[in-house]
């Protein structure tokens, strides 16, 4: 692959997805045009990922770059991808997902028509384990950065997804992925980008996400390890302006309610109640979110 600058850099983090990695890579290599580069980062996989990469190199010589590293987590892999690619726009495509056939063409057109935009939030297809599929679109993003931050963190009306989101390289000059987190590492970066850079929605399916049961977002160990430390990372003073720090406690309360639900569904009573109490400490109005309060009462009387 040539080292000249490209419009797009597609980074594919790969950890134990040997079976689906060829699908992800081929979905990129089949995109029309020659203005993109592809980098696969094998994050210390213990399955056949390295052998699969070698076979793919033989099938597609000089079409992509690949590197193997000691396992360090998705944040470190993405930061490596940022440092070791040259494209103006970065797309982080999970190894178990795929780009839609016209993804880069849609993004090219959008970039030309919106020269000042630096974050493009696209839609995506969701493929469920039962074989069904649905489109998850995106709404027009508010012009006001405060409204975007609140829409993303609190109202959940803005839902950027890796693989469906294109991020201009300038975003990462002052903000990288927090490598101390093994999941939820994208939340601080999306919050920073939506607050500090012009952002827009592209209501077209950019990628297809395959749902599966072993997603890290369901890993209780990582969820409890991160806990509310995520709130501090999101609201770093060098990332979120002072006049928007007012949302910190409300977001902390919501974060605790989310963790409460996670542990409640997992049957972890003590952990669930711990986070419910923390939610009330951050924002007493959580008491009036009755779906959560009813669950907490059930745990208390069980």
């Amino acid at each position: 692959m040539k080292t000249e600058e490209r419009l797009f850099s597609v980074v594919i983090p790969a950890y134990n997805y040997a079976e689906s990695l060829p699908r992800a890579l081929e979905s990129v290599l089949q995109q029309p045009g020659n203005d993109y580069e592809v980098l696969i980062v094998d994050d210390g996989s213990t399955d056949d990922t390295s052998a699969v990469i070698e076979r793919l190199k033989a099938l597609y010589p000089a079409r992509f770059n690949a590197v193997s590293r000691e396992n360090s987590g998705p944040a470190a892999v993405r930061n490596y991808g940022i440092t070791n690619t040259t494209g103006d726009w970065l797309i982080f495509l999970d190894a178990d997902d795929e780009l839609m056939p016209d993804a880069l063409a849609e993004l090219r057109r959008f970039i030309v028509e919106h020269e000042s935009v630096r974050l493009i939030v696209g839609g995506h297809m969701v493929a469920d384990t039962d074989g069904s599929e649905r489109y998850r679109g995106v709404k027009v993003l508010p012009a006001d950065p405060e409204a975007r931050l609140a829409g993303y963190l609190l109202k959940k009306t803005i839902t950027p997804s890796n693989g469906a989101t294109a991020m201009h390289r300038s975003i990462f000059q002052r903000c990288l992925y927090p490598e101390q987190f093994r999941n939820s590492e994208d939340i601080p970066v999306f919050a920073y980008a939506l607050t500090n850079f012009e952002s827009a929605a592209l209501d077209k399916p950019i990628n297809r996400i395959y749902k599966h049961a072993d997603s890290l977002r369901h890993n209780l160990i990582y969820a409890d390890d991160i806990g509310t430390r995520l709130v501090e990372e999101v609201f770093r003073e060098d990332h979120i302006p002072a006049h928007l720090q007012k949302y910190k406690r409300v977001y902390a309360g919501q974060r605790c309610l989310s963790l409460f639900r996670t542990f409640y569904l997992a049957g972890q009573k003590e952990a669930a109640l711990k986070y419910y109490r923390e939610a009330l400490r951050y924002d007493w109005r959580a008491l009036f979110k009755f779906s959560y309060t009813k669950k907490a009462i059930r745990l208390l009387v069980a």
Side-chain angles (χ1 to χ4, degrees), residues 161-175:
S161 173
N162 287 306
T165 300
M167 310 180 76
H168 194 269
R169 185 169 295 276
S170 58
I171 290 171
F172 302 106
Q173 291 177 352
R174 291 181 49 230
C175 179

Side-chain angles (χ1 to χ4, degrees), residues 2 5 10 21 63-64 123 146 153 159-160 183 193 255 267 275 302:
K2 295 180 180 180
E5 291 189 1
V10 181
L21 178 57
R63 293 290 311 278
F64 69 96
E146 179 172 352
L153 292 179
T159 55
N183 71 355
R255 168 71 179 169
Y275 283 115

Side-chain angles (χ1 to χ4, degrees), residues 153 174-181 183-189 191-192 226-240 245 248 251:
L153 292 179
R174 291 181 49 230
C175 179
L176 292 172
Y177 290 92
E179 297 186 10
Q180 69 271 29
F181 296 156
N183 71 355
S184 302
E185 73 288 337
D186 54 347
I187 295 176
V189 176
Y192 168 77
I226 294 171
T228 55
R229 291 191 298 134
L230 178 66
V231 179
E232 299 300 324
E233 184 66 27
V234 169
F235 281 91
R236 282 175 46 171
E237 292 183 358
D238 57 337
H239 286 178
I240 303 299
Q245 293 290 329
K248 182 176 180 178
Y251 176 63

Side-chain angles (χ1 to χ4, degrees), residues 61-72:
R63 293 290 311 278
F64 69 96
N65 291 326
V67 63
S68 295
R69 292 160 40 93
E70 290 186 8
N71 181 258
S72 52

